[in-house]
Amino acid sequence: KNDLSKPYNLQPVKETLLFWNGKKLENYAFCIMPNHVHWVFRLFEKDDKNKPVYLQDIMNSVKRFSANQINKEENRIGAVWQTESFDTTIRDEKHLYYAIEYTLNNPVAAGLVENREDWPGNWSSGCSGLRTAD
């Protein structure tokens, strides 16, 4: 069984989630849990070459590349990710703020750490300018 939060799996997953940043998307936060990932980002309409960007292409790329890296590290073959992903459209700044908070607090809620800063699978761009008021 895969554990995405193992140190040797964590690095390739982090690198993969950060790969398209500034080219096809803007990363806000992610949390790599043992068996799933929470990822908050803004998808660009067009990439750095002015071509349309599609969510399914990003997801396929991230899953394919990270699965290959993990399988190589664990000397195995087979699926790492579920086919399905559950995505939510962020409606406003308040929703974005709460999505980031939920993402970064996931390991605390799961009882894996007491402080979210202690979870090695957490990453945030530090969106300090977000407001929770309407």
Side-chain angles (χ1 to χ4, degrees):
K1 186 179 174 198
N2 296 311
D3 182 345
L4 300 172
S5 64
K6 286 181 183 173
Y8 60 81
N9 288 338
L10 209 53
Q11 198 54 38
V13 175
K14 275 186 182 180
E15 288 172 6
T16 307
L17 294 173
L18 291 168
F19 181 78
W20 294 115
N21 192 54
K23 300 173 195 134
K24 296 186 181 221
L25 56 86
E26 178 183 5
N27 278 313
Y28 294 120
F30 58 76
C31 175
I32 303 164
M33 295 291 284
N35 63 350
H36 66 281
V37 171
H38 293 267
W39 188 18
V40 183
F41 61 91
R42 179 177 63 86
L43 197 64
F44 295 164
E45 286 185 33
K46 299 197 177 210
D47 66 14
D48 53 346
K49 296 177 179 73
N50 208 33
K51 294 191 173 161
V53 178
Y54 300 105
L55 180 60
Q56 68 266 19
D57 295 342
I58 296 293
M59 298 308 292
N60 287 339
S61 168
V62 165
K63 288 179 177 184
R64 185 175 55 250
F65 184 82
S66 59
N68 286 337
Q69 296 299 313
I70 289 168
N71 281 339
K72 192 187 307 181
E73 180 63 42
E74 294 189 349
N75 196 25
R76 65 188 283 284
I77 57 171
V80 171
W81 299 101
Q82 291 181 0
T83 320
E84 182 60 59
S85 60
F86 301 95
D87 50 271
T88 301
T89 300
I90 303 292
R91 301 289 175 193
D92 55 30
E93 240 183 49
K94 186 176 182 180
H95 188 189
L96 177 60
Y97 172 83
Y98 285 112
I100 291 169
E101 286 298 301
Y102 175 84
T103 295
L104 297 175
N105 284 317
N106 211 255
V108 176
L112 298 171
V113 289
E114 285 188 32
N115 300 303
R116 70 189 198 184
E117 294 79 18
D118 296 335
W119 186 249
N122 271 355
W123 181 92
S124 172
S125 66
C127 308
S128 57
L130 289 177
R131 300 182 309 271
T132 58
D134 289 296

